[in-house]
Amino acid sequence: MEKEIREFVIYLHDVKKTSENTELSYKRDLQKLQSFLKEQGIEEPGRITETSLNSYILFLEKNQFAPATVSRHIAAVKAFFHFMVKKGMVSEDVSENLKAPRIEKKMPEILTMGEVVRLLEQPGRNTPKEIRDRAMLELLYATGIRVSELISLQITDLNLRLGYIICRDSSKERAIPFGNQAKEALLLYLKEARDILIKGTQTETLFVNCSGKPMSRQGFWKLIKYYAAKAGIEADITPHTLRHSFAAHLVEKGADLHSVQEMMGHSDISSTQVYANIGGSRIRSVYQQAHPRK
């Protein structure tokens, strides 16, 4: 099965144009399946049956894997078998009837508007690093983009005159506007900090670390944790918290879900609907606390 997995990952990269993270995730999940099947004496894809796949899913569930993780494994297995059938490696798709477990959608952690203001005010304007940090936080909250999109931005993706950025993934791109606060922070970064940070190297990456190289996810995670603690925010926030807060605050202020969906890059409106539910929960909480005849 090792050869088939290798060819599948190459297919994802060359044909589907998936990200490196997706490819590593699929490869890791399928190698786990391979190890399980090997222990059952199954090493050839043609010998895998629907029963053996169901046994694997049961094994994951018995070992306390979260429903979301089990669903991800099932998605990997289904994609793998679809590929093998298409390439004539197996005669039938025995993964067809696999059912993903029901996943209860957790409400995402969001900050209050006051907490966001405190967080964004933490980076100073005294050093290139602080100026960069402020620009990154302001842009993240102004646009709701993913951290992976933030650290991948190129200079050419930024239109300061019209106030928008271009975000791209493997299949599409979207233009997202930003306001004056983010614009001012970006102007200051480009004018006073970026040239110092890149240390004379030639790079089109918008945000770089103190060595002049592209910022990593881990580097930004540490950055946001540092400023959250400095702002006295007790919630265990992650870089994704500002993305959730951006969407929830827009919906709370009356933005329509389809516009928020487009800005967030959600393929399904149900992913955006959760932010409306947050608003409803907050309204109920305020009502219960304040209404004289509750």
Side-chain angles (χ1 to χ4, degrees):
M1 214 168 111
E2 193 172 323
K3 173 176 166 287
E4 288 80 7
I5 292 173
R6 189 166 58 249
E7 289 185 20
F8 174 60
V9 173
I10 292 169
Y11 166 78
L12 289 176
H13 183 82
D14 292 347
V15 179
K16 291 295 186 179
K17 308 294 183 188
T18 51
S19 68
E20 186 180 352
N21 281 345
T22 299
E23 290 156 20
L24 288 173
S25 174
Y26 272 56
K27 183 179 179 182
R28 189 167 52 243
D29 291 349
L30 291 171
Q31 285 173 336
K32 194 170 190 68
L33 170 65
Q34 181 186 11
S35 298
F36 172 83
L37 292 173
K38 193 172 182 180
E39 288 180 6
Q40 315 302 310
I42 301 170
E43 296 193 43
E44 299 298 322
R47 292 187 57 212
I48 302 172
T49 64
E50 187 175 326
T51 301
S52 53
L53 289 181
N54 278 317
S55 298
Y56 174 61
I57 302 308
L58 190 61
F59 161 78
L60 293 176
E61 290 172 342
K62 280 186 174 177
N63 280 274
Q64 316 260 297
F65 282 81
T69 305
V70 175
S71 292
R72 194 194 69 218
H73 277 264
I74 290 173
V77 170
K78 281 179 171 287
F80 181 51
F81 269 88
H82 181 75
F83 163 77
M84 288 199 294
V85 169
K86 185 177 179 182
K87 296 294 182 182
M89 296 173 176
V90 293
S91 58
E92 61 175 325
D93 185 353
V94 295
S95 73
E96 204 170 25
N97 295 321
L98 287 181
K99 295 283 189 291
R102 186 172 177 273
I103 301 172
E104 288 197 18
K105 283 195 174 181
K106 278 176 64 179
M107 289 293 186
E109 184 79 43
I110 66 164
L111 301 177
T112 65
M113 292 182 193
E115 286 173 328
V116 169
V117 169
R118 291 211 314 273
L119 178 68
L120 298 183
E121 286 178 346
Q122 292 313 305
R125 295 178 175 83
N126 301 317
T127 67
K129 180 185 179 302
E130 288 178 337
I131 293 170
R132 179 208 64 193
D133 294 350
R134 178 180 287 269
M136 291 185 82
L137 290 174
E138 286 282 4
L139 187 61
L140 192 64
Y141 179 64
T143 59
I145 57 176
R146 301 172 181 89
V147 173
S148 56
E149 293 170 330
L150 178 74
I151 61 178
S152 300
L153 283 173
Q154 304 291 292
I155 287 281
T156 50
D157 296 327
L158 177 65
N159 188 317
L160 277 170
R161 187 173 65 83
L162 297 179
Y164 70 85
I165 55 169
I166 296 291
C167 274
R168 298 177 178 85
D169 60 29
S170 57
S171 59
K172 59 183 181 298
E173 65 177 44
R174 64 193 197 278
I176 311 165
F178 55 80
N180 287 329
Q181 301 263 29
K183 183 175 182 177
E184 287 173 15
L186 285 163
L187 280 168
L188 187 64
Y189 167 66
L190 292 172
K191 184 181 176 183
E192 297 188 13
R194 186 174 178 274
D195 284 348
I196 296 172
L197 291 171
I198 64 174
K199 303 181 187 303
T201 59
Q202 294 296 315
T203 178
E204 288 298 306
T205 303
L206 179 59
F207 295 113
V208 297
N209 61 24
C210 293
S211 301
K213 296 177 181 175
M215 172 78 74
S216 68
R217 288 178 61 89
Q218 293 84 354
F220 189 78
W221 186 85
K222 289 176 184 174
L223 178 157
I224 202 167
K225 287 281 187 183
Y226 168 75
Y227 289 118
K230 201 175 173 188
I233 296 170
E234 295 180 2
D236 184 24
I237 73 170
T238 69
H240 228 55
T241 307
L242 272 183
R243 175 170 161 83
H244 291 316
S245 301
F246 159 84
H249 295 167
L250 277 180
V251 172
E252 192 175 336
K253 291 292 186 180
D256 72 275
L257 286 179
H258 285 287
S259 296
V260 177
Q261 176 191 6
E262 190 173 333
M263 285 185 277
M264 297 284 280
H266 289 157
S267 56
D268 191 330
I269 191 68
S270 64
S271 300
T272 319
Q273 184 70 44
V274 68
Y275 301 110
N277 296 339
I278 290 173
S281 301
R282 184 170 291 175
I283 289 166
R284 282 193 296 276
S285 173
V286 170
Y287 179 92
Q288 288 166 357
Q289 289 175 32
H291 198 280
R293 293 180 68 81
K294 61 182 181 289

